[in-house]
Amino acid sequence: MMDRRAATIDLLLIEDDSEDARHLSEAFSEIDLEITVRVVTDGAEALKLLSNSASDPSALPDLILLDLNLPRLSGLELLREIGDEPALARLPILVVTKSATVDDVRESYELAANAYLTKPADPAEYAELAEAIADFWLRRVALPTSAL
């Protein structure tokens, strides 16, 4: 596994709510890792960005945080599209959404989401969520993009 303290981690946040995007971006900026957070505000734009990067693995994000409630192409539709493209199917995707419905959780995992997290109700809790994601997904897990 690569030493992520020396490398910049590319995190793609697919989120249309500007407040949630700001809270998550700020929370990740406080973590003791070099993390670049790119924000995309709708599913169609995210699919275009990922599809354009598919031929160059170094251009793909290390980790994706995906909201389900997106304009133009929902998070579930985006998961389906990503799963259909072999160059993108291995990307680690964490659903981070307000929905806690059993159907959304089940369908997200059926479409190969790697985790399903519910957004905090209190903005102060975003730091705890980001730290938990960073601790497991960025410090402990070998990500496919870092193994290339």
Side-chain angles (χ1 to χ4, degrees):
M1 187 163 67
M2 71 184 268
D3 179 6
R4 292 205 183 94
R5 292 185 188 274
T8 300
I9 298 158
D10 183 21
L11 191 148
L12 178 61
L13 174 58
I14 306 169
E15 172 62 68
D16 68 320
D17 184 306
S18 61
E19 284 297 303
D20 288 337
R22 184 178 60 80
H23 290 307
L24 280 165
S25 295
E26 287 175 1
F28 278 103
S29 74
E30 297 297 319
I31 293 174
D32 67 341
L33 296 168
E34 288 295 320
I35 302 171
T36 299
V37 178
R38 290 186 288 165
V39 179
V40 176
T41 58
D42 72 66
E45 183 183 343
L47 182 59
K48 181 180 177 183
L49 179 128
L50 292 168
S51 295
N52 289 342
S53 301
S55 62
D56 178 9
S58 69
L60 291 170
D62 295 303
L63 184 65
I64 296 173
L65 302 182
L66 173 65
D67 185 25
L68 292 184
N69 302 309
L70 297 169
R72 296 179 40 199
L73 189 69
S74 76
L76 292 172
E77 292 167 327
L78 181 58
L79 279 170
R80 192 170 291 111
E81 293 289 332
I82 289 170
D84 288 343
E85 193 163 336
L88 301 178
R90 71 175 181 276
L91 289 171
I93 302 173
L94 312 183
V95 171
V96 181
T97 190
K98 288 183 174 138
S99 171
T101 67
V102 172
D103 288 341
D104 284 344
V105 173
R106 180 188 44 74
E107 191 169 1
S108 293
Y109 281 112
E110 285 175 0
L111 294 171
N114 297 96
Y116 193 101
L117 306 159
T118 304
K119 289 180 188 173
D122 181 353
E125 295 175 7
Y126 277 92
E128 184 179 325
L129 176 64
E131 185 58 45
I133 290 169
D135 186 47
F136 185 77
W137 288 97
L138 304 178
R139 292 187 184 108
R140 300 179 189 275
V141 172
L143 297 173
T145 51
S146 64
L148 295 173

